[in-house]
Amino acid sequence: MTNKLKYFIGNWKMFGDLGSIKIIFRINRFLNTFKKRNKVVLCVPNTLIHYFTKKIKSKNIFIGAQNCHQYKNYGAFTGSVNALMLKNAGAKFIILGHSENRSDGDTNHIINKKIESALKQKINIIFCIGETIREKNKGKTFSVLRNQIKGSINKIYNPNKIIIAYEPIWSIGTGKIPKAFELRKIFKFIKSEFSKIFKKKSPPKVLYGGSVNDKNIRFFSSIYDIDGFLIGASSQSAKKFIDIIKNYYK
Ligand code: 13P
């Protein structure tokens, strides 16, 4: 196995309270003794970002957010939080374009505006794309992914601030994962689409997300183009999250 930097990013979704800091402390203790080249990010609810960033003074763990409003300034948007506010709270990363937010109404255009506003605050983007099972069965995976990428990514953006997460919607929370040959083709496709936009030689970082756990992680380590993982349910437990990292390198 190569010593390429790997990302292990947790998406806590609607989980966690102040006491959940103990999960982060435990992951941090593990990372202090683990010598592989990892980047660990935990994207937590907005209510926890400030508290966690103050408590965790570690080079090993970054705290991120899960979504933001697209409007760049303060405004009359009841219940919303924008990138400026998240930056202020301490977020270094943000998940945008997650299918759970797309199904709540986020269009490519809105996601494009969100990315722009988060980049303005110098927050790193985790940009999610993925197809439904219907689209997959109709052979539309590549056109769906191309449309999501082209609809939200402008060539003037700084490509070094954008990580892509391929999350097939049919895999999220279902225990189902794609086959190795599918992943190899899809990862090559995503990397080449990005390289076309940015005319850049070094390919972007692309993560896999969808039902990743401590048992199936070994399967993914044989796929060279995967630069890391976006992990939902299994990131809500320190033990499971640590076991994912450990087992990946076994
Ligand atoms: P699960 O790992 O729970 O399937 O969730 C994946 C996900 O949506 C991460 O963003």
Side-chain angles (χ1 to χ4, degrees):
M1 178 164 306
T2 60
N3 196 23
K4 256 192 355 174
L5 177 77
K6 295 288 169 187
Y7 290 80
F8 293 89
I9 302 186
N11 174 7
W12 275 15
K13 306 192 181 184
M14 198 166 71
F15 164 85
D17 55 28
L18 297 183
S20 310
I21 188 77
K22 61 178 185 292
I23 298 174
I24 313 235
F25 282 146
R26 192 165 156 195
I27 296 169
N28 190 41
R29 280 198 300 277
F30 161 73
L31 291 172
N32 284 339
T33 61
F34 194 69
K35 294 289 172 254
K36 301 285 186 187
R37 290 183 63 222
N38 296 307
K39 191 160 250 184
V40 170
V41 183
L42 290 160
C43 297
V44 300
N46 293 345
T47 48
L48 305 178
I49 293 172
H50 182 66
Y51 178 68
F52 283 7
T53 48
K54 289 281 164 217
K55 283 272 180 189
I56 291 282
K57 296 271 177 256
S58 163
K59 288 197 193 74
N60 294 325
I61 296 188
F62 298 85
I63 300 297
Q66 301 172 12
N67 196 5
C68 69
H69 194 280
Q70 62 272 27
Y71 194 65
K72 291 188 183 108
N73 304 312
Y74 296 148
F77 300 100
T78 303
S80 299
V81 170
N82 68 7
L84 171 69
M85 296 153 99
L86 294 171
K87 157 90 171 204
N88 212 261
K92 296 281 185 285
F93 286 77
I94 185 165
I95 296 171
L96 292 173
H98 194 283
S99 57
E100 285 153 15
N101 301 131
R102 288 179 191 263
S103 64
D104 276 348
D106 272 12
T107 59
N108 286 343
H109 178 69
I110 292 173
I111 296 162
N112 169 269
K113 293 288 158 222
K114 291 184 176 188
I115 294 176
E116 195 178 296
S117 69
L119 286 176
K120 188 165 180 251
Q121 301 305 327
K122 304 200 162 40
I123 302 177
N124 297 286
I125 313 293
I126 302 151
F127 169 57
C128 299
I129 55 176
E131 82 285 5
T132 63
I133 192 66
R134 259 189 102 205
E135 290 162 342
K136 175 179 162 60
N137 290 341
K138 284 186 172 172
K140 288 189 172 168
T141 299
F142 293 100
S143 61
V144 167
L145 298 179
R146 178 181 285 130
N147 182 39
Q148 290 172 337
I149 293 169
K150 285 196 165 167
S152 299
I153 301 293
N154 295 357
K155 62 175 184 246
I156 54 161
Y157 292 165
N158 177 357
N160 299 325
K161 299 287 282 181
I162 304 174
I163 298 167
I164 305 123
Y166 170 60
E167 297 207 310
I169 297 167
W170 51 270
S171 171
I172 296 175
T174 60
K176 294 184 183 143
I177 54 173
K179 300 198 168 53
F181 81 89
E182 294 173 322
L183 285 171
R184 287 200 177 94
K185 275 207 298 205
I186 289 168
F187 273 66
K188 289 229 168 350
F189 175 79
I190 294 170
K191 290 190 179 194
S192 87
E193 286 297 303
F194 257 71
S195 302
K196 273 191 228 159
I197 294 177
F198 292 116
K199 313 254 180 297
K200 201 171 165 257
K201 292 217 173 57
S202 59
K205 302 288 178 208
V206 187
L207 317 181
Y208 171 76
S211 293
V212 173
N213 62 38
D214 50 331
K215 309 282 179 318
N216 63 22
I217 189 71
R218 285 291 306 143
F219 158 78
F220 295 104
S221 56
S222 67
I223 302 164
Y224 179 81
D225 277 323
I226 297 184
D227 298 298
F229 303 92
L230 184 54
I231 304 156
S234 292
S235 70
Q236 298 169 358
S237 142
K239 181 174 183 328
K240 286 186 185 163
F241 193 72
I242 291 167
D243 282 348
I244 287 175
I245 300 176
K246 276 193 201 158
N247 293 348
Y248 179 79
Y249 291 102
K250 253 191 190 159

